[in-house]
Amino acid sequence: MKFKQKEHSLQLALRLLQQGDLTVNDIAMRCGYQDIASFRAAFKRWTGMLPTQHRASYLSISADQM
């Protein structure tokens, strides 16, 4: 995957994880990954955390702001 594609995939993944209505597997597929393991590894390289950790962190912060 080229840099622009990776950047787009990361932005898409972040947005979809924050929405909270899709599974991580569905998000991986929408971002162009054939398997969830590759997506999880790439996401961890990009952000330092797993997709589920990012979602939980975001949802926790959002709930605290209500």
Side-chain angles (χ1 to χ4, degrees):
M1 209 181 273
K2 295 181 181 180
F3 178 76
K4 285 281 190 192
Q5 290 171 320
K6 288 180 184 180
E7 185 177 342
H8 176 73
S9 289
L10 173 59
Q11 294 304 317
L12 177 60
L14 290 170
R15 189 172 65 247
L16 294 173
L17 284 165
Q18 292 168 1
Q19 290 174 355
D21 55 341
L22 294 174
T23 66
V24 173
N25 192 52
D26 290 338
I27 293 169
M29 296 298 161
R30 287 186 184 208
C31 290
Y33 287 85
Q34 297 299 316
D35 66 282
I36 195 169
S38 296
F39 173 71
R40 288 169 45 97
F43 192 89
K44 186 162 184 168
R45 274 194 312 275
W46 295 332
T47 65
M49 63 178 68
L50 295 171
T52 52
Q53 293 170 323
H54 174 77
R55 175 178 274 166
S57 173
Y58 178 81
L59 294 176
S60 174
I61 290 169
S62 294
D64 288 345
Q65 294 176 354
M66 290 183 173

